[in-house]
Amino acid sequence: MDWEAYLPTVIAERGYDYYLQGLVTDLQQTKTQITATVTGTKCYDVSISMSNDEFQAGTCDCPYAAGHQYCKHMAAVLYQVAAVNDSSQPAKTTDSNEDDHDENRVAQVVAHATNAQVRDFLNTVLMHDAHLAQLFKLMVGGVRTATGLVRISSSN
């Protein structure tokens, strides 16, 4: 499903943020129709038409979609559908050269990110994954006390 070409970059980016925040709910998918609710300023109903696994059109009851062809809520739903469909596919096997290439690419992206971008990303990811949040707390020196509170040790 190649739908990203239909959306302006800024709309796709905002939709991806909504997807990462877990704001897509009530997802229903058939061969020809995708529906979901996306929480924004309020809850918006999104409907997307498909034909032969190709994006055809989308509607949303948000104010932005009333004056534009596509909105961030539609993008969020499409990212959610892609994630659901990808997770139902068998895992892709790669050779070690591809893994090294991906690791280098990730390292380059991280190296160019600002501190604010890294912190925003960490906040988003850690809020949605308790296990990673706990690992991160341990990594930066957080120690769980007998009362259940986390004490952060200073390395200064």
Side-chain angles (χ1 to χ4, degrees), residues 40-92:
T41 309
K42 64 174 202 153
C43 290
Y44 298 108
D45 293 322
V46 175
S47 179
I48 296 170
S49 300
M50 305 291 291
S51 177
N52 298 321
D53 281 337
E54 293 295 322
F55 175 82
Q56 297 299 307
T59 61
C60 178
D61 59 359
C62 75
Y64 185 86
H68 298 84
Q69 193 169 8
Y70 306 112
C71 69
K72 62 187 171 188
H73 307 107
M74 292 177 211
V77 169
L78 290 165
Y79 279 115
Q80 182 72 41
V81 167
V84 167
N85 290 345
D86 285 349
S87 68
S88 66
Q89 299 296 319
K92 177 184 156 191

